[in-house]
Structures are given as C-alpha cells and as structure tokens.
Amino acid sequence: MKSKYVSIYEQLASKIESKEIMPGDYLPSEKELMSIYDASRDTIRKSLVMLKQAGYIQKTKGKGSIVIDIHQFEFPISGITSFKEISQSISGDVSTEVVCFEIMNADKNLSGKLNINLGDKIYYIERVRKVDGEAIILDIDVINAGIVPGLTKEIAKDSIYDYIENELGLKISFAKKEISVQTINNLDKMFIDLRGFDMMAVVESYTYLDDASLFQYTISRHRPDRFKFREFARRDKNV
Amino acid sequence: MKSKYVSIYEQLASKIESKEIMPGDYLPSEKELMSIYDASRDTIRKSLVMLKQAGYIQKTKGKGSIVIDIHQFEFPISGITSFKEISQSISGDVSTEVVCFEIMNADKNLSGKLNINLGDKIYYIERVRKVDGEAIILDIDVINAGIVPGLTKEIAKDSIYDYIENELGLKISFAKKEISVQTINNLDKMFIDLRGFDMMAVVESYTYLDDASLFQYTISRHRPDRFKFREFARRDKNV
DNA sequence: ATGTATTTGTACGTATGTATG
DNA sequence: ACATACATACGTACAAATACA
C-alpha cells in the first residue's frame, strides 16, 4: 500500500514532467493543495519535500513553490539505477553479454570489499554492455551469495536488481559511489572497443539493503567518450 | 536563529563523526531522543531524516536507527562545496592563482549558459589550483554580475562563495552538475602540469540561489590522476 | 512607511498502522 | 500475544518572509 504523500508526489512530478505545470510556474499553495488532494498540511509538505530533494521545485518562505527547469532536458544518471533502467532512456540498440559468471570463495581482496569472511561464498560476474553493437562499458560485480542466493547467468544477462527486488523481495536502499579516471587494463583491452582511448571512466559502488547490509561491490568501467554522470545537489539540506 | 531540528541534527552528526556513537550502534529511540533533547517527535524525526539523507544512519521500521559506516573514512566531494572548503580537508599545500579576471558583456555562448540577454554584464574568471606546487585543476567561472556585483580579483583568489554568502548575504541553494572526460585543450596545455596525460576529468556546474536564479556556470577541469568524485545515493527517496 | 493577508517554516500533540523481536 | 519502534496522517499554534493595498 503506497502512502498518500508519495502518491501526491508522483502526481505532481508527472504534471511537471508532462509540462502541465511549466518551469517558472508556482505550484498551488500548501493550503490549496490540501483541498485539491484532500490531505493535511503535514502530508502535502512531505510531498513537497520529496519534490524539492528530487530537484523539481524550489520553495521560498512567504512566496511559494516554484517549478525549476532542471528536469526538462535530461534524465539523471546519478543515484542507484540499474543498467536495464538506464537503457530504457537511451536511444539506440542496447545489449548485455555475460563474459564471466562464477560462484567462488572470497579471497582476501574481495572479502575486504564486501566486509565478509575469507572463504565466504560470492558471485563474481563480468558483463559487457553494448550500445549499437559497440562494447563501451565493462561491469564487474561481486555479490554476497549469503544475502543474494540463487543468481544465474540468465538473471545477470537480464537484471540483477530486478531479481533482488522483485523475486527475492529485498529492498535496495543506499550506495556509496566513487568516480575516477584510470588507465586501461587487460580486461578493457580484451572486451571494450577502445577506439584508441587509453583511459576509462570508472565508477566503484558499494550497495546496501534497507537493513544496512552490504551485498554488492561493483566496478563499472566506461569508455570516456560515452560517459556522462549527472547530479542534482543541494547546499542546504533542511527538510 | 538556528532551528531546533537542525541543531539536534548537528549534535547527533558530531557524535557520529567523533565516534561517540559508532557504526553499527543504534541511536536512542525517537521516544528517548524526545526526552534527551526535550523535543517533540516531529522535531526529532526531522533531525533523523537529515541524518538519513546525509548518509549517517539507516532507519528500519520496528527496529531503530542504526549508524552506518559511510562517513568514517572519507569526506564527500559531491554536493556544492567551494574549493576553499574542500582544501581544508586536503593534506598538502594548496594555492590558487587567478590567471584571468575580466568583466565583460556576454556573447551568444555565455549568455545561453547563464540564461541572460546578449550583452549583459558577466565576470569571466580563470583560476589554477595548485597542490604542493603542482597545477592540477583549472576552474573557469562565468558569473552573472547583475546578481553577484562587486567581485574582485582578490575575492576570486580567496573564495567567491564566501563573498556571496557572507558579504552579499545571498544564499547558494542548488546546482546541476555534469561529469565527463574530455581530451585536453589549449588552456590545459598552458596552465596545467599535465605529466603526459591527454585527457581531463571535467565537472560542469550550473549553480542557483535560493530564489531559483541562476548566477554561475563553472567548468572545473581536473588532471585525471588527482580526480575523485564521491556520492552517497539513496534508491528510496521517502521522508 | 505601515498594516494586513498570504505563504512557507517550525514545533507540538494525538491517533493509528506496520514491522520487529 | 504482546511490547517496542518507526511510519503515516490528522490536527493546532505561532514565527518569519513576502506581497500588496
């Protein structure tokens, strides 16, 4: 059962996405929204906080909530988004090839990354992402098999996140990410259509479930000409 | 006057930073926090939402709020942070050289970036950032002089954000950022100690005040071996 | 310049629902 | 079954910033 304030957030966000409410316009006041959606001020304000954090609106005391123009021309790449989810907004033919799928015992390096004991079961997966037939991304996933059991090569070819959330019913909650630029390595040379590039944009992620357990360490290596990372940030974190 | 929930957030965050409350520990329950800080549940929950968004804690219904270990080893580079603020957490000798400071009329390109009229007054500033004597970052700032008047070369050498917030009393509120990797250009060759690198990590930012006015467009070009961008992201945006 | 209405921000209270142990 | 803890949703009151007559 979805909560009321999330539902109101989604309705307002979709009105903004569809340009029914344009950038520069003010939303109805909180009082008006209360009667429009038959909700208390508390509920409306929670929806507005979500809109604010997501970069849809800017609130000003005494004035109102204005729609800002961040969302109109591009989709966000930041946050926690699976490749399958991202690929839906990419124009072009997208495919995934699973070039390595192993269940193994964690060595010293990998057990450290996942904060588990030496020898614990993990999945080690390498996937190449192709856009319009060109191999441009190499994803290396290390997944704690004690938390995420039953993975198969077929699932890895489709969407691991989909399996975790919809088959296992687990909730992916938060991630720490680190972006850097690194010189190419042997895996890049083997699997990526490098086109002469000698560096790769690298996103390392540690991803956690809602019980704060770390289940995944990912290295995502992108050919630099096809890499773009977008972020919406707020200096003032108040709610 | 700082609000109560922000003050409680700061107290709890500092207890976490200082390891008085360790990762893995649970915070006192909301009920207990109410009596500790003599506050209502609403106020406590606002503080906890801030802690959650900032990556300090994970909340679980029925259990409590556990401290997670994201903040222990590193500071975030993401968000809206001035170079002066970042440099305080860098070990090493940091300096800034203002290699270009001009007030000029916006041409077609720059007026488009700042969403102003052709010919409006802007500041165009180029700054080289050195760490331990080595030039590793080139920052190019285009600032709307109608919104941020009175800039000087001296201010640019110190901190423009400091001037905007503390001298002009304006509030920097949000930014849209885009990270990419680009081949070096003539400015890089002129000002950066390239050490043979032929690409740069580039962060483009559009930064806004709290009245949703766009005042700054920045291109920050980093030598790739010294570039690192960290983000904390949540898949579930509820408040 | 002043006062008033509007709008958002903060703080508190109460009740009920849902997940955990 | 029960107690505990967080989540949602309703309400009230007042403060602070803004807009306007």
Side-chain angles (χ1 to χ4, degrees):
Chain A
M1 179 53 190
K2 193 169 295 178
S3 55
K4 199 167 175 175
Y5 76 86
V6 173
S7 144
I8 295 171
Y9 160 78
E10 286 169 353
Q11 290 175 61
L12 289 171
S14 104
K15 280 188 207 291
I16 294 170
E17 295 277 2
S18 72
K19 296 282 171 43
E20 191 177 328
I21 311 177
M22 304 272 289
D25 289 354
Y26 280 86
L27 292 185
S29 72
E30 294 177 353
K31 198 176 176 184
E32 289 170 311
L33 290 170
M34 285 169 70
S35 72
I36 293 172
Y37 292 103
D38 187 31
S40 69
R41 182 142 178 249
D42 178 67
T43 301
I44 296 296
R45 282 182 61 79
K46 279 183 185 161
S47 310
L48 296 184
V49 166
M50 284 186 77
L51 287 169
K52 174 184 156 186
Q53 313 275 35
Y56 284 105
I57 64 169
Q58 178 73 356
K59 307 179 98 244
T60 310
K61 189 191 290 193
K63 286 183 81 171
S65 301
I66 194 172
V67 175
I68 57 185
D69 66 347
I70 301 297
H71 274 264
Q72 61 186 346
F73 39 93
E74 54 203 21
F75 60 95
I77 295 280
S78 57
I80 307 174
T81 314
S82 73
F83 183 76
K84 189 181 184 185
E85 289 161 349
I86 288 176
S87 64
Q88 283 157 6
S89 27
I90 293 178
S91 64
D93 191 39
V94 172
S95 66
T96 293
E97 191 183 340
V98 182
V99 296
C100 175
F101 183 95
E102 286 182 25
I103 181 159
M104 55 196 263
N105 302 309
D107 62 16
K108 194 174 174 189
N109 175 31
L110 296 182
S111 68
K113 294 291 187 189
L114 278 180
N115 210 7
I116 55 179
N117 294 320
L118 207 75
D120 283 357
K121 290 274 181 236
I122 57 163
Y123 292 99
Y124 178 89
I125 303 167
E126 293 173 0
R127 293 181 286 184
V128 175
R129 316 291 197 172
K130 293 185 181 180
V131 177
D132 289 328
E134 214 182 359
I136 58 172
I137 302 171
L138 174 64
D139 282 347
I140 299 164
D141 285 283
V142 183
I143 295 176
N144 185 338
I147 298 176
V148 181
L151 270 185
T152 65
K153 197 167 174 176
E154 288 66 42
I155 292 168
K157 186 166 171 54
D158 182 35
S159 170
I160 292 175
Y161 276 19
D162 197 64
Y163 172 75
I164 291 173
E165 294 191 313
N166 299 324
E167 298 298 317
L168 297 180
L170 302 173
K171 282 189 193 130
I172 298 165
S173 183
F174 61 93
K176 183 182 66 173
K177 298 188 165 205
E178 204 167 287
I179 301 175
S180 60
V181 182
Q182 300 177 11
T183 53
I184 54 172
N185 61 25
N186 286 333
L187 283 178
D188 299 327
K189 287 180 197 163
M190 199 176 315
F191 293 118
I192 300 297
D193 293 324
L194 283 170
R195 282 215 190 163
F197 288 104
D198 59 356
M199 304 200 83
M200 295 285 273
V202 180
V203 183
E204 286 180 272
S205 310
Y206 296 84
T207 315
Y208 297 73
L209 297 179
D210 69 340
D211 64 355
S213 61
L214 172 61
F215 73 96
Q216 179 188 35
Y217 169 67
T218 302
I219 303 172
S220 192
R221 302 178 67 88
H222 299 242
R223 199 177 70 191
D225 61 324
R226 299 300 297 267
F227 176 75
K228 190 141 278 193
F229 183 92
R230 300 196 181 90
E231 182 192 47
F232 175 80
R234 286 195 170 274
R235 187 156 169 92
D236 140 38
K237 314 287 191 195
N238 292 14
V239 292
Chain B
M1 180 53 190
K2 194 167 295 177
S3 55
K4 200 166 175 177
Y5 76 87
V6 174
S7 145
I8 296 171
Y9 160 78
E10 286 169 353
Q11 290 176 62
L12 288 170
S14 105
K15 280 188 206 292
I16 294 171
E17 294 278 2
S18 72
K19 295 281 170 44
E20 190 178 327
I21 312 176
M22 303 273 288
D25 289 353
Y26 280 85
L27 293 185
S29 71
E30 294 178 353
K31 197 175 174 181
E32 290 170 313
L33 290 170
M34 284 169 69
S35 73
I36 293 172
Y37 292 103
D38 187 31
S40 70
R41 178 129 184 260
D42 180 66
T43 300
I44 295 297
R45 282 180 61 78
K46 279 181 186 161
S47 311
L48 296 184
V49 166
M50 285 186 76
L51 287 169
K52 173 184 156 186
Q53 312 278 35
Y56 284 106
I57 64 168
Q58 177 72 358
K59 309 177 95 241
T60 311
K61 189 190 291 192
K63 288 183 80 170
S65 301
I66 193 171
V67 176
I68 58 185
D69 64 349
I70 302 296
H71 273 264
Q72 61 187 347
F73 37 91
E74 54 204 23
F75 61 95
I77 295 278
S78 58
I80 306 173
T81 315
S82 72
F83 184 76
K84 188 178 183 186
E85 289 162 349
I86 288 175
S87 64
Q88 283 158 5
S89 23
I90 293 177
S91 63
D93 192 37
V94 172
S95 67
T96 293
E97 190 182 341
V98 182
V99 295
C100 176
F101 183 94
E102 287 181 24
I103 181 158
M104 56 197 260
N105 303 307
D107 62 14
K108 195 176 174 188
N109 176 31
L110 296 181
S111 67
K113 294 290 188 192
L114 278 182
N115 211 8
I116 55 178
N117 294 319
L118 207 74
D120 283 357
K121 290 272 180 235
I122 57 164
Y123 293 99
Y124 178 89
I125 303 167
E126 292 173 359
R127 293 181 286 185
V128 174
R129 316 292 198 172
K130 294 186 180 179
V131 177
D132 291 328
E134 215 182 359
I136 57 170
I137 302 172
L138 174 64
D139 281 347
I140 299 165
D141 286 282
V142 183
I143 296 177
N144 185 338
I147 298 177
V148 182
L151 272 184
T152 65
K153 197 167 173 176
E154 288 65 42
I155 293 168
K157 186 165 169 58
D158 183 33
S159 170
I160 293 176
Y161 277 19
D162 198 63
Y163 172 73
I164 291 173
E165 294 191 314
N166 299 324
E167 298 299 318
L168 296 180
L170 301 173
K171 280 186 193 137
I172 298 165
S173 183
F174 61 94
K176 183 183 66 173
K177 298 190 165 203
E178 202 167 287
I179 301 175
S180 61
V181 182
Q182 300 176 11
T183 54
I184 54 172
N185 61 25
N186 286 332
L187 283 177
D188 299 329
K189 286 178 196 163
M190 200 176 317
F191 293 118
I192 300 297
D193 293 324
L194 282 170
R195 283 215 191 164
F197 288 104
D198 58 356
M199 304 200 85
M200 295 286 272
V202 179
V203 183
E204 287 179 272
S205 310
Y206 297 83
T207 315
Y208 297 72
L209 297 179
D210 68 343
D211 64 356
S213 61
L214 172 61
F215 73 97
Q216 180 188 35
Y217 168 66
T218 302
I219 304 172
S220 192
R221 303 179 66 88
H222 299 242
R223 199 176 70 190
D225 62 322
R226 299 299 297 268
F227 175 75
K228 190 142 279 195
F229 184 92
R230 299 196 182 91
E231 181 192 50
F232 175 80
R234 287 195 170 273
R235 189 159 169 90
D236 144 36
K237 316 287 191 193
N238 291 15
V239 292

